[in-house]
Amino acid sequence: MAYTHISLLFLANFLLQVAVARAKVPAIIVFGDSSVDAGNNNQISTIAKSNFEPYGRNFPGGRATGRFSNGRIPTDFISEAFGLKPTVPAYLDPMYSIKDFATGVSFASAGSGYDNATSDVLSVIPLWKELEYYKDYQTELRAYLGVKKANGVLSEALYVMSLGTNDFLENYYAFPNRSSQFTIKQYEDFLIGIAGNFVHQLYGLGARKISVGGLPPMGCMPLERTTNFMNDAECVEDYNNVALDFNWKLKALVMKLNKELHGAKIVLSNPYYILMNIVKRPSVFGES
């Protein structure tokens, strides 16, 4: 299935980026949007949910867990590749406890973004709240494992950030507020500032291994192509160009942060070219 191919390719790209660290990873800690939401939105009042068919039809047991996928999502594959459990649970899911979260947890919320105004669109969990949940998690983990062991897990854990698409497609291009305040280049810089500040906050809380996710070719996403009536449902190149530009700015940010934050290993995990290859050559990946 397409989602499975995308997850595996995302994983391959990601592992190539982090392999240089050559360190044990005791937990995967996740922030972001629908690309890595494992079911947190099931527990809040929003229309941005995926706990119904056909979602989950290839997930173990055929369950729709709240993942926006037919099966597992990229962070599940990443967790398994590091020898951890095959799925990373959602923090708000009442089926799980700190025992389950000790080796991985997702605070991500579908529909969220860097910009607080983005999360307001669909009434989902803003990034600042995801961080507050993480602080609560730290307290719970220290109570469960003991302070010394928990601090070791938190410093050696792999932190995954995957967000940004909604800031453009569900906010900037959809409503006049931000587009009246910023040019597109200025808005990119606004988001880059938030991303940098978020990494600084994670670092201050003990994180040392952080993956900052880049944007996909968002002009080729199904909804964007379906609504591109004037161009025969082709990809929206303006959106793709924004994604490319934003990813270059993220790359520069990551280089800057690695110089600023002593002992940190921060990587850019850029899915753009992998996913564009799938769009352009679907038959290679088993799709027509």
Side-chain angles (χ1 to χ4, degrees):
M1 302 301 293
Y3 280 115
T4 302
H5 289 307
I6 289 170
S7 296
L8 289 170
L9 286 165
F10 180 98
L11 169 62
N13 173 261
F14 183 89
L15 294 180
L16 283 172
Q17 294 288 337
V18 301
V20 292
R22 302 182 66 84
K24 181 181 178 182
V25 172
I28 308 294
I29 298 174
V30 185
F31 303 89
D33 57 21
S34 62
S35 59
V36 288
D37 183 353
N40 285 309
N41 277 19
N42 292 352
Q43 309 305 321
I44 64 174
S45 180
T46 177
I47 61 171
K49 297 180 187 287
S50 58
N51 56 347
F52 53 89
E53 295 181 349
Y55 294 110
R57 63 187 179 187
N58 298 113
F59 192 83
R63 292 188 302 117
T65 62
R67 289 168 170 80
F68 283 72
S69 171
N70 57 301
R72 291 189 290 166
I73 52 179
T75 40
D76 295 326
F77 290 105
I78 291 167
S79 175
E80 187 174 41
F82 277 106
L84 303 172
K85 57 199 172 200
T87 57
V88 178
Y91 183 65
L92 298 183
D93 192 330
M95 289 179 57
Y96 301 100
S97 68
I98 190 60
K99 179 180 179 181
D100 305 292
F101 301 145
T103 55
V105 59
S106 175
F107 303 100
S109 177
S112 196
Y114 288 110
D115 188 350
N116 288 338
T118 301
S119 59
D120 290 341
V121 173
L122 294 171
S123 300
V124 298
I125 304 167
L127 189 58
W128 69 264
K129 183 64 175 178
E130 292 185 26
L131 190 66
E132 290 301 308
Y133 284 137
Y134 170 64
K135 293 176 184 177
D136 292 341
Y137 164 75
Q138 285 192 324
T139 300
E140 295 164 9
L141 191 68
R142 289 177 179 127
Y144 177 65
L145 294 178
V147 173
K148 183 176 181 180
K149 186 174 181 181
N151 287 346
V153 170
L154 294 169
S155 65
E156 294 296 327
L158 180 62
Y159 293 76
V160 178
M161 296 166 53
S162 180
L163 67 167
T165 302
N166 294 318
D167 291 305
F168 295 99
L169 300 185
E170 305 299 330
N171 184 0
Y172 187 88
Y173 288 117
F175 297 97
N177 186 30
R178 289 306 193 203
S179 58
S180 66
Q181 290 179 286
F182 302 104
T183 66
I184 190 60
K185 300 290 186 184
Q186 290 171 336
Y187 190 60
E188 290 171 9
D189 294 338
F190 173 69
L191 299 180
I192 291 292
I194 296 171
N197 183 59
F198 188 77
V199 172
H200 271 275
Q201 289 179 290
L202 284 180
Y203 179 83
L205 290 167
R208 292 298 181 268
K209 302 183 185 74
I210 304 170
S211 166
V212 180
L215 296 184
M218 55 189 184
C220 296
M221 297 180 76
L223 179 61
E224 310 316 313
R225 293 186 65 173
T226 301
T227 55
N228 190 17
F229 307 113
M230 301 300 292
N231 291 293
D232 298 322
E234 292 295 323
C235 297
V236 182
E237 290 305 319
D238 285 349
Y239 292 173
N240 285 349
N241 289 335
V242 168
L244 286 168
D245 195 43
F246 187 74
N247 288 345
W248 276 109
K249 291 180 179 181
L250 277 179
K251 183 178 181 180
L253 173 67
V254 165
M255 293 175 63
K256 176 174 175 285
L257 290 170
N258 276 310
K259 292 177 182 177
E260 292 176 349
L261 303 179
H262 178 71
K265 177 59 182 177
I266 305 164
V267 298
L268 173 65
S269 183
N270 184 356
Y272 185 95
Y273 298 103
I274 292 172
L275 299 187
M276 182 57 82
N277 194 29
I278 293 172
V279 171
K280 290 185 174 180
R281 305 169 63 205
S283 60
V284 174
F285 302 95
E287 300 294 325
S288 57

